Amino acid sequence: MSDEEHLRAILLDAVPPLTGPQDWSTVVARRVRRTRRRVALAAAVSTVVAMIGSSMTVQLIGNTATPPHRPALTCPEVPADWLQTVPDSDTPGRFIDPSGVASVSMCLKTVSGPPREETVWTLDTRLPQMLDVFNAMPTKANFNEQRKRNHPDANIPSEWMCDAVGYFQEFAFAVTYTDGRVVTVLTDRNCGLAYLDGHLRVMQPSPVNTFKQLYLGQQISRTDPATVATPSCPSTTSGAGEFIDQISAMRIATLTSDDPFLPTPLVAVALCRYADNGTGLRLTAHYEARTTGDPRLPGPVDTWRQRINAATARREGAAGCHGASDLANATALDVMWAADESGAVSAVPVEWGPCRQVVARNATIPPSESLKEYLDQVLATR
Amino acid sequence: MDTDDFAEFVASRSATLLRAAWLLTGDAGKAEDLLQTALMATWRRWARVAAGGDPEPYVRRVLFSTYVSWWRRRWRAEVPTQVLPDGMRPDDVAQSQAERDVVRRALNKLTRQQRAIVVLRYVEDLSVAQTAEILQTSPDTVKVQASKALAKLRSDPQLRMAEMGAMGNVR
């Protein structure tokens, strides 16, 4: 066997069994249609932005970034008390039919409380991994048996226990098949359960977290960093209510741990300093930085990602001065903007006067002296 | 646009093209992304592509040129995602996975162009001229880069070990 034949054999042996969509042409057609809608939407957004002119929202330099988490379909209805209406017992068998799935959409639906923004994200690659996780979810009985095996001394209640956490919004999955069928997977974070067609399963492994990881991978692989715009500083700010956090959608949060505020490498950062000279908060200094190569390599942008993550890390018992995210009375304010490699943008306000606090994830955290020094270094000279 | 022809084409060729995409990217999800991107471009020009006869060279050109050009930076930045629960992979699968990782790591040491050349020349069995045409470069560049790529692969100690395991002999 020649060298070249050896190499061919090695390479071909290395290729795993690949299970792409069964109907490629349908998947491709759907993606073409979504791209067209996105282009049309981007054009409409550009027109609106041009009409509004300088507004309080973030202004972007250069190319318009691809909308990172854009609704693609209407979410199914999710009854607030669906868990009370489905049978408590489980039908044996696999949870979901993986044959012919064209896409999986995850919807954030409001189930109680005041109206809130609802979002849908669509995954049309990495589907076998997603469907494997759905089908790996155990029944309540199997989950309890496994827990007893792994923790024989633990006091595991015979009844299924739910956390006493009231969620205003829940996730639901719309699984679309290539023949046009759509099935809905309902989830309940409070009880950690998912339901589909007689199957009630424990969300361990978590389809929500898996979806977030796979979707983030999909978005990153579809986003050219060169097209991610650098945030720039609005000339004025009024304080609370305007600081977006698009990156939060793909953050994985559990009761025991949190992702860092910025879990993904950044393409660009902008630091904005505001002071109130009697006519409201006005921009007095700003700093922008952008990666020129691989966002994972060390550099000023990655350094600022680490600093922002340190500044926004939750600390037990620590809180800012207001105890709430109300910045309307601030007289000295810095805002740290970050655009990540998926194109999502988030902002972190840091109030220096009259109170001192970092506001992130609806929490307030005392800022460190080192954060002030770093910000002063780049902003005092500009 | 004849969508039936397009559907027939992708149904018959997607497995082969997906295999090439995996060898370029080393990841099933990224391979799907790459092939979808290539097929999207083909779909938009299907009438013209199909009118020219065999559409596969066009798809292949889009697949490889997309890989070599604008996917460069973003793929380098992507992280592995979901780790499936324990107990889902039997030992023989784990062994295959280990061998696959060796090949993937060895391919990762090549430049993007070298990797594309290796797949086109030694897996797809295309000539130097055909490879050069797809990658829009000169035949001399293909020859030089192919030679460098082979030298790198031959010098990879892990790949040599994997080969021993796979073939039972040492070259």
Side-chain angles (χ1 to χ4, degrees), chain A residues 34-242:
Chain A
R34 268 203 305 279
T35 307
R36 283 180 185 150
R37 275 201 297 269
R38 199 167 57 193
V39 169
L41 182 64
V45 168
S46 300
T47 307
V48 171
V49 168
M51 288 167 65
I52 292 172
S54 65
S55 69
M56 295 303 294
T57 54
V58 63
Q59 297 161 1
L60 302 173
I61 297 171
N63 298 333
T64 304
T66 304
H69 309 301
R70 191 61 64 190
L73 56 77
T74 305
C75 282
E77 283 308 310
V78 178
D81 56 350
W82 69 263
L83 193 52
Q84 313 304 321
T85 62
V86 302
D88 193 43
S89 57
D90 196 315
T91 310
R94 71 183 174 202
F95 185 75
I96 192 164
D97 178 5
S99 305
V101 171
S103 65
V104 177
S105 297
M106 186 169 80
C107 303
L108 182 61
K109 293 289 294 181
T110 302
V111 291
S112 62
R116 289 164 189 268
E117 186 182 0
E118 297 187 347
T119 315
V120 55
W121 303 271
T122 296
L123 186 71
D124 53 23
T125 58
R126 301 152 173 83
L127 295 174
Q129 290 155 280
M130 188 66 226
L131 295 164
D132 280 350
V133 168
F134 275 131
N135 284 323
M137 293 190 296
T139 62
K140 288 195 285 187
N142 287 345
F143 182 75
N144 273 341
E145 277 170 24
Q146 195 176 352
R147 277 203 302 174
K148 280 176 190 161
R149 268 203 309 275
N150 295 341
H151 308 284
D153 299 330
N155 179 23
I156 296 170
S158 55
E159 289 299 310
W160 188 254
M161 304 294 283
C162 300
D163 295 318
V165 180
Y167 291 101
F168 292 126
Q169 293 185 300
E170 289 288 0
F171 291 104
F173 293 92
V175 180
T176 305
Y177 290 82
T178 49
D179 62 8
R181 276 179 304 137
V182 179
V183 299
T184 302
V185 177
L186 301 171
T187 75
D188 184 298
R189 283 184 287 173
N190 188 35
C191 296
L193 296 171
Y195 177 80
L196 169 64
D197 197 19
H199 300 295
L200 188 63
R201 299 289 164 89
V202 180
M203 291 199 290
Q204 290 193 27
S206 163
V208 173
N209 288 348
T210 300
F211 184 95
K212 287 180 174 183
Q213 290 179 320
L214 296 176
Y215 183 82
L216 196 54
Q218 177 179 279
Q219 287 308 103
I220 291 169
S221 69
R222 287 180 182 174
T223 305
D224 182 350
T227 65
V228 176
T230 304
S232 76
C233 301
S235 57
T236 61
T237 184
S238 65
E242 67 192 67

Side-chain angles (χ1 to χ4, degrees), chain B residues 131-150:
Chain B
T131 303
E133 190 188 340
I134 284 178
L135 297 178
Q136 295 179 312
T137 188
S138 70
D140 283 345
T141 302
V142 171
K143 285 181 197 165
V144 170
Q145 293 304 322
S147 170
K148 286 183 177 176
L150 285 180

Side-chain angles (χ1 to χ4, degrees), chain A residues 3-4 6-12 14-18 20-21 24-25 27-29 31-32 35 124-126 128-129 132-133 205 210 213-214 217-218 220-226 292-294 296 341, chain B residues 6-7 10 14 18-19 22-23 28-30 32-33 35-37 39-40 43-44 70-71 73-79 81-82 84-85 88 100 103 107 118 121-123 150 153-154 159 163 167 169 171:
Chain A
D3 256 12
E4 294 175 5
H6 269 296
L7 179 60
R8 184 169 197 272
I10 291 170
L11 293 177
L12 288 178
V15 180
L18 296 168
W24 277 93
S25 54
V27 171
V28 169
R31 194 167 156 189
V32 168
T35 307
D124 53 23
T125 58
R126 301 152 173 83
Q129 290 155 280
D132 280 350
V133 168
T210 300
Q213 290 179 320
L214 296 176
Q218 177 179 279
I220 291 169
S221 69
R222 287 180 182 174
T223 305
D224 182 350
T292 53
D294 184 347
R296 285 170 191 278
E341 58 183 349
Chain B
F6 180 78
V10 293
S14 58
L18 190 59
R19 185 186 66 188
W22 188 90
L23 285 166
K30 292 175 197 168
E32 256 189 80
D33 264 341
L35 182 52
Q36 278 189 21
T37 304
L39 291 176
M40 276 172 65
W43 166 273
R44 291 190 179 112
W70 64 279
W71 288 59
R73 286 193 302 171
R74 54 190 185 164
W75 277 355
R76 195 186 303 152
E78 190 174 355
V79 292
T81 54
Q82 176 66 17
L84 292 177
M88 296 190 69
R100 186 174 304 139
V103 174
L107 289 173
V118 164
R121 289 279 292 121
Y122 306 119
V123 178
L150 285 180
L153 293 174
R154 282 195 192 106
L159 191 60
E163 187 186 348
M167 300 183 175
N169 61 18
R171 279 190 294 125

Side-chain angles (χ1 to χ4, degrees), chain A residues 233-234 237 239 242-243 270-276 281-287 304 308 311 327 330-337 347-353 355-360 367-380:
Chain A
C233 301
T237 184
E242 67 192 67
F243 299 104
L271 308 171
C272 321
R273 174 156 285 182
Y274 297 90
D276 186 354
L281 288 165
R282 294 193 175 277
L283 186 69
T284 59
H286 61 97
Y287 164 86
W304 274 104
I308 294 171
L327 296 169
T331 55
L333 184 74
D334 290 341
V335 182
M336 304 185 288
W337 291 93
V348 178
V350 186
E351 181 182 354
W352 297 113
C355 297
R356 290 164 70 97
Q357 61 179 351
V358 178
V359 179
S368 66
E369 276 307 311
S370 59
L371 178 65
K372 177 137 185 43
E373 285 170 19
Y374 293 135
L375 286 165
D376 284 349
Q377 274 173 20
V378 295
L379 293 171

